[in-house]
Amino acid sequence: MQIAYINADDNPRGIAEKQRLLQPMGIMQLVPGHEGFDAKHLWELLQTSVADGSAPETILMLDTLKKWTDLFDSKSIARVTEELRRFVAVGGTVIALGHTNKHKDENGHPIYKGTTDVLDDWDCGWIGEPFSDGEVEGLTLKVLKRRGGQPDAASFRWSKSRDYQTKFSSVERVPDEELDHYDLVTRGQEVAQEHAVAIDAITDKIEKGVNTKTQLIGEVAAEIDEGKDYVRSVLDMCTGAEKPYGKLWRQTKGAHNRHLYGINE
């Protein structure tokens, strides 16, 4: 199987680093503007692969698709898709990467960037959402469109290291039974980001000895100029035993059945 990775979205250091990682695996890296290769040569590469019968044994990776088409122009996408479809029709495989929208949806999840033409005309589309639990980093791919038996989602993780060789060699698929763990970690991180002001105020009050529920809610609500119901909801969301899941405070029962709060270490 021949894998051709066309890297059109990187700097010289990144190109050199990827070459060091990919070459021992037999993956060919092509970079527009390097060693005589140009973006337009992609079409010649496809035509040759179709003509000599090597397409069924070729995987082509485009990083990123916008280097060959305007993702907001339906006609431009149609022209590129038509060229790629000739290659795919005889058994070739194309994997194209793209950037998500810089803004996220109301639930904090990535948003697909571009018109729907790519999703409409291509066989499968996925969107990636990163996660981290302090020890590893990873990415969950969720299906946007499919033709076939692809799963709804697939997650991969790797070592949280600055060394790319360590990251690359440690990549593995996350077993299904561990997916809930990373979902909870991600949710905890989203809550911490969305409610950072209230969380900081609650934590500060607890550290200063304000640890009964009624007093804590009242003082924090006044300090951050929010309603008591909102502060109570944040307090409840972040109370529990599992700090990796965003549970920042623990609750115990005190005299007269009062709820007392402490900080999870």
Side-chain angles (χ1 to χ4, degrees), residues 90-248:
V90 294
T93 299
V94 178
I95 301 172
L97 306 181
H99 298 290
T100 57
N101 194 300
K102 65 179 180 180
H103 301 294
K104 295 187 177 183
D105 67 17
E106 59 185 12
N107 296 314
H109 299 303
I111 299 173
Y112 170 77
K113 184 177 182 179
T115 70
T116 62
D117 295 273
V118 173
L119 292 179
D120 291 341
D121 296 339
W122 288 47
D123 298 318
C124 187
W126 302 75
I127 192 163
E129 184 165 8
F131 63 80
S132 172
D133 72 349
E135 297 181 0
V136 301
E137 299 171 320
L139 186 73
T140 295
L141 297 172
K142 298 180 180 180
V143 70
L144 296 176
K145 183 260 181 80
R146 62 185 163 194
R147 292 175 183 159
Q150 298 88 357
D152 292 332
S155 295
F156 301 85
R157 64 188 172 197
W158 51 85
S159 172
K160 197 171 186 178
S161 171
R162 293 186 177 182
D163 178 60
Y164 276 97
Q165 180 65 60
T166 301
K167 286 178 181 286
F168 196 74
S169 61
S170 66
V171 174
E172 62 178 359
R173 185 162 179 177
V174 179
D176 290 343
E177 60 269 21
E178 296 182 32
L179 292 177
D180 286 346
H181 164 73
Y182 291 111
D183 286 342
L184 290 170
V185 168
T186 300
R187 176 56 184 157
Q189 293 169 346
E190 292 170 352
V191 169
Q193 183 176 6
E194 183 179 354
H195 304 289
V197 173
I199 288 171
D200 289 346
I202 293 171
T203 301
D204 181 62
K205 291 294 182 183
I206 295 174
E207 289 177 340
K208 291 178 178 177
V210 179
N211 64 351
T212 61
K213 187 169 188 176
T214 301
Q215 184 181 6
L216 190 57
I217 291 172
E219 291 194 17
V220 170
E223 180 176 310
I224 66 174
D225 194 26
E226 291 281 1
K228 291 182 180 181
D229 287 345
Y230 167 71
V231 176
R232 182 181 292 104
S233 69
V234 174
L235 183 62
D236 290 343
M237 276 192 294
C238 298
T239 296
E242 306 88 357
K243 188 174 182 180
Y245 300 158
K247 306 302 182 182
L248 306 176

Side-chain angles (χ1 to χ4, degrees), residues 33-128:
H34 288 249
E35 299 183 357
F37 182 77
D38 190 88
K40 64 184 180 181
H41 293 156
L42 168 64
W43 314 123
E44 298 173 13
L45 183 67
L46 293 176
Q47 291 167 6
T48 299
S49 184
V50 169
D52 65 16
S54 63
E57 298 297 321
T58 302
I59 297 175
L60 180 67
M61 300 180 65
L62 306 179
D63 187 4
T64 60
L65 183 59
K66 73 175 184 179
K67 298 297 181 180
W68 286 271
T69 185
D70 182 346
L71 296 177
F72 294 92
D73 184 338
S74 296
K75 291 183 179 180
S76 174
I77 294 171
R79 286 193 297 269
V80 168
T81 300
E82 183 179 359
E83 292 290 338
L84 295 174
R85 183 59 70 182
R86 293 193 182 98
F87 169 74
V88 173
V90 294
T93 299
V94 178
I95 301 172
L97 306 181
H99 298 290
T100 57
N101 194 300
K102 65 179 180 180
H103 301 294
K104 295 187 177 183
D105 67 17
E106 59 185 12
N107 296 314
H109 299 303
I111 299 173
Y112 170 77
K113 184 177 182 179
T115 70
T116 62
D117 295 273
V118 173
L119 292 179
D120 291 341
D121 296 339
W122 288 47
D123 298 318
C124 187
W126 302 75
I127 192 163

